[in-house]
């Protein structure tokens, strides 16, 4: 199957889900992509920014599982929007 045909099929799935009253975020096609995007962003932060901040002493996590790892787990479990909000609430409670 050609790449363009896959895109057209995905668009039709989204249209069908919208007509059925399912939000785009609940669509399986979209949720797996958004979860992967959120996890990639956090992984990039963990590999590039977090080590620099911990070496300079600007950041020190008081939790056993770091806030970034906890947020990744919440994104996997709840999806990008709700998982990010839960992780953000934990980050705010840190200080």
């Amino acid at each position: 199957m050609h790449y363009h045909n896959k895109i057209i099929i995905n668009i039709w799935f989204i249209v069908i889900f919208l007509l059925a009253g399912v939000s785009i975020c609940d669509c399986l096609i979209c949720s797996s992509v958004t979860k992967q995007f959120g996890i990639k962003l956090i992984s990039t932060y963990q590999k590039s920014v977090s080590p620099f901040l911990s070496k300079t002493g600007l950041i020190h996590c008081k939790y056993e599982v770091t806030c970034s790892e906890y947020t990744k787990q919440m994104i996997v479990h709840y999806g990008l929007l709700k998982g990010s909000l839960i992780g953000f609430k934990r980050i705010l409670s840190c200080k």
Side-chain angles (χ1 to χ4, degrees), residues 1-68:
M1 184 178 283
H2 290 89
Y3 179 73
H4 297 292
N5 292 346
K6 289 181 182 180
I7 292 174
I8 291 170
I9 290 172
N10 287 341
I11 291 171
W12 276 111
F13 274 119
I14 293 170
V15 169
I16 290 169
F17 283 127
L18 288 173
L19 291 174
V22 178
S23 71
I24 292 177
C25 292
D26 293 334
C27 171
L28 292 176
I29 299 166
C30 298
S31 65
S32 65
V33 172
T34 57
K35 283 181 185 181
Q36 290 173 1
F37 176 72
I39 290 169
K40 292 261 188 208
L41 278 177
I42 293 172
S43 296
T44 302
Y45 164 79
Q46 288 176 328
K47 291 176 185 171
S48 59
V49 178
S50 184
F52 172 74
L53 292 177
S54 62
K55 284 181 185 176
T56 59
L58 294 173
I59 193 169
H60 177 72
C61 195
K62 70 178 186 179
Y63 294 110
E64 181 77 23
V65 177
T66 62
C67 292
S68 58

Side-chain angles (χ1 to χ4, degrees), residues 42 45-46 59-74 83-84 86-95:
I42 293 172
Y45 164 79
Q46 288 176 328
I59 193 169
H60 177 72
C61 195
K62 70 178 186 179
Y63 294 110
E64 181 77 23
V65 177
T66 62
C67 292
S68 58
E69 189 62 36
Y70 177 78
T71 304
K72 277 173 50 174
Q73 293 172 3
M74 293 300 103
S84 297
I86 293 170
F88 186 67
K89 285 170 75 175
R90 180 168 168 166
I91 292 168
L92 290 178
S93 71
C94 191
K95 300 279 175 179

